[in-house]
Amino acid sequence: MADVSSVVVKAPLADNAGQPAIEPGAFFLDGNYSLQLNSWNGVAGVVLGLRFRILRSDGQLVDSVELHTPNSNFTQATTTHPLPQGFLLNAFIFAASGNPLVGITFAQLQLVRGFSGAITPISTILQDYVSTTQGPSWPGSPIRSSIDGPGALRSIAGTTPGAGAEIIETVPLNVRWQLVSVVYTLTNSATVANRFSRLFVNDGANVYGRFEQPAVGLAASATGLYTAGGNITNTTWQDGYALALPDALRIPGGGHWLTSTLGIQAGDQYSAVRYLVFQWIDV
Amino acid sequence: MARRCLSCGGTYEPVQADGSTYFHACPEAFAYVDVKTGRELTPDEARAVADGATVRREARPRPDARDENVNDQARGVGDPEARLRALDRAAPPARPHTEADMIRAGAGAVDVDLEAPKEPA
C-alpha cells in the first residue's frame, strides 16, 4: 500500500475503563478481504483518493491512501486494495486531482472477500457522488443511489452539423438526462420553401416525443432562433419560435434529442446548439 | 480545441466548459432528388435549387458515420469474462476513450480552431 504511516496503540481493543475502543460497526478483517472502489465518471483528468484507517491485530493503527483513476467515458473503472488483519475503522473518498463533479463522478466502495479473480462482495460501504469539495465518508455518509436527488445542472454545447444536416445529440452510456431547455439557430438558404423545425426525442430506436413549431414556417433566406423548454407554449416570435416541451422530459442513456425539419434544404444551416439538462449517472 | 468530424462535417467541443467529455454522433444523411426526373442531385446542385418544391429529400445511411459513444465491447456486453477481468487487480484501472471504444470511428475527426460560437441575440 502507498503512503502508509502508523502509530502503536497500547490498548487497541479496549480503553482504560475496559470499554471497546472501536465502533461496534467496524469490520473485522482476517487478511482475506479487500476494499473495491468502483467509479463512473465523465470528466477527464480526475483521480480519486481512497483514505482508510485500520486497527491491525498487532495493535498498530494504520492510515493508508490509495489512488484510483476513473474512466472519462462513464464506463466502470474498478480497483481493489487488499487489507491486512484487523478492524476497518473508517474510509473516505476524495478528489485527489482534477475536478470531479456531482452528477458526473460517482463512486462506490465495497468490502469484498478476495483481491483478484473471483471476488465476493460483502458489503457496500460508501456510494455517492464526489466533487472537489464533497467526499463521502464511512461511517457517517448515507449510501445514495446515483439517481437520487435533483441531478446536476449542465449546460452543454452541442454539435454544429454540416449544411443541410439535422441536429442530433446523444445521451451518453450510463447517464440519464432531463431536458430543461434547448436553443439553436436555423439559417435558411435562398431555396424557396417554408421550413418547420421539429424536436424529437427517442430511446435510441423509438421516438416517444415529438414537439413541433407553430404552423407558420421559416421562409427562405430567413434566420430563426429556436427555444424549446417547459412552461412555455408554442409561439412565433419576431425572430424565431418557442417549442413547448413537457416538464421532466427524461431521456435514457443511448437516447437522443434531435431535429427533424420539414422542408429543409441542402444549404440550410443549424448552428449555436446549446441545451440545459439535469444529469444523473444511471448505473 | 474544437473538432471537426470528417464524416458529416459537424463541429463540436470534445471537452465542455465544465471539463466533462462530449461524444459526437453523426446525423442521418440525406440525398436530394429532382421530383420531375428522379435524378439524384449533387450537393452543389441541391444547394442551387431555387424552388424547394422541385426536390425531394430522401434519408440515406451514412456509410462512414462516426459515433463516439461507447461500444458494447468497452461496456463488456456479451463478454461474460469482462466482469471478472474488471475485478482483477491486474486489470488496468483506467484508460482514455479511444476510437477502439467507439461505436463507429467513421472517417475520423480533426482538431479545428473555431471562433467562439455566437449565442442567439
Side-chain angles (χ1 to χ4, degrees):
Chain A
M1 294 179 200
D3 188 19
V4 175
S5 60
S6 63
V7 294
V8 175
V9 178
K10 292 180 179 176
L13 301 180
D15 62 17
N16 292 337
Q19 297 299 310
I22 57 175
E23 290 202 27
F27 288 101
F28 176 69
L29 313 165
D30 66 0
N32 292 310
Y33 291 88
S34 303
L35 286 175
Q36 179 176 288
L37 181 54
N38 302 313
S39 68
W40 296 264
N41 166 66
V43 181
V46 168
V47 178
L48 299 180
L50 168 63
R51 188 182 294 277
F52 54 92
R53 293 189 310 147
I54 289 185
L55 184 60
R56 291 195 328 202
S57 55
D58 62 5
Q60 284 193 316
L61 183 66
V62 179
D63 290 348
S64 294
V65 173
E66 302 273 4
L67 297 179
H68 169 98
T69 305
N71 297 330
S72 60
N73 59 7
F74 297 105
T75 55
Q76 180 178 339
T78 298
T79 51
T80 53
H81 311 280
L83 300 172
Q85 283 187 345
F87 288 89
L88 179 64
L89 300 180
N90 77 298
F92 173 51
I93 302 172
F94 62 99
S97 65
N99 295 296
L101 298 166
V102 172
I104 305 181
T105 307
F106 189 73
Q108 177 189 62
L109 184 67
Q110 293 182 313
L111 182 67
V112 299
R113 186 167 182 84
F115 50 87
S116 66
I119 283 177
T120 305
I122 302 297
S123 176
T124 296
I125 297 175
L126 287 173
Q127 189 172 276
D128 204 348
Y129 287 103
V130 181
S131 74
T132 50
T133 55
Q134 299 179 57
S137 181
W138 175 84
S141 296
I143 295 174
R144 292 190 193 279
S145 165
S146 62
I147 56 171
D148 275 354
L153 196 57
R154 295 193 57 214
S155 173
I156 300 172
T159 296
T160 297
E166 303 280 1
I167 299 167
I168 181 167
E169 296 294 313
T170 309
V171 185
L173 170 78
N174 293 336
V175 168
R176 178 188 297 191
W177 280 351
Q178 179 177 320
L179 205 51
V180 178
S181 68
V182 176
V183 293
Y184 56 82
T185 299
L186 174 59
T187 303
N188 285 347
S189 68
T191 302
V192 175
N194 282 335
R195 282 71 154 179
F196 298 86
S197 180
R198 304 175 297 177
L199 193 156
F200 289 4
V201 291
N202 68 31
D203 60 7
N206 307 296
V207 173
Y208 61 86
R210 180 182 306 194
F211 311 99
E212 307 199 10
Q213 74 176 63
V216 180
L218 186 67
S221 301
T223 296
L225 308 181
Y226 290 79
T227 297
N231 290 323
I232 58 175
T233 55
N234 280 357
T235 309
T236 303
W237 292 335
Q238 191 171 9
D239 56 359
Y241 301 90
L243 278 63
L245 298 179
D247 289 336
L249 176 60
R250 296 192 177 181
I251 313 175
H256 307 97
W257 76 260
L258 63 154
T259 57
S260 176
T261 312
L262 296 175
I264 194 171
Q265 303 299 314
D268 296 350
Q269 178 67 59
Y270 276 109
S271 61
V273 182
R274 182 168 285 277
Y275 49 104
L276 191 69
V277 298
F278 286 119
Q279 175 172 304
W280 296 263
I281 300 282
D282 192 358
V283 292
Chain B
M1 177 69 79
R3 290 179 70 76
R4 184 185 305 281
C5 174
L6 298 177
S7 299
C8 70
T11 54
Y12 57 98
E13 296 286 348
V15 178
Q16 298 281 302
D18 62 3
S20 62
T21 46
Y22 174 86
F23 307 109
H24 164 73
C26 291
E28 198 170 25
F30 297 99
Y32 291 86
V33 178
D34 186 308
V35 172
K36 291 180 181 174
T37 65
R39 185 175 69 86
E40 190 169 316
L41 305 177
T42 66
D44 283 345
E45 288 174 332
R47 280 192 282 271
V49 167
D51 180 0
T54 64
V55 295
R56 181 177 67 246
R57 186 176 72 155
E58 294 181 356
R60 291 274 198 278
R62 190 184 296 276
D64 58 353
R66 180 175 177 87
D67 187 342
E68 298 180 349
N69 285 281
V70 175
N71 62 30
D72 283 350
Q73 185 176 354
R75 298 170 61 184
V77 172
D79 181 359
E81 299 299 318
R83 173 71 178 161
L84 285 179
R85 283 203 301 274
L87 296 175
D88 193 325
R89 186 176 170 79
R95 58 199 171 119
H97 186 64
T98 66
E99 291 197 342
D101 297 323
M102 296 178 186
I103 293 175
R104 282 182 300 276
V110 294
D111 289 342
V112 290
D113 195 3
L114 297 178
E115 292 181 15
K118 293 178 180 174
E119 296 293 337

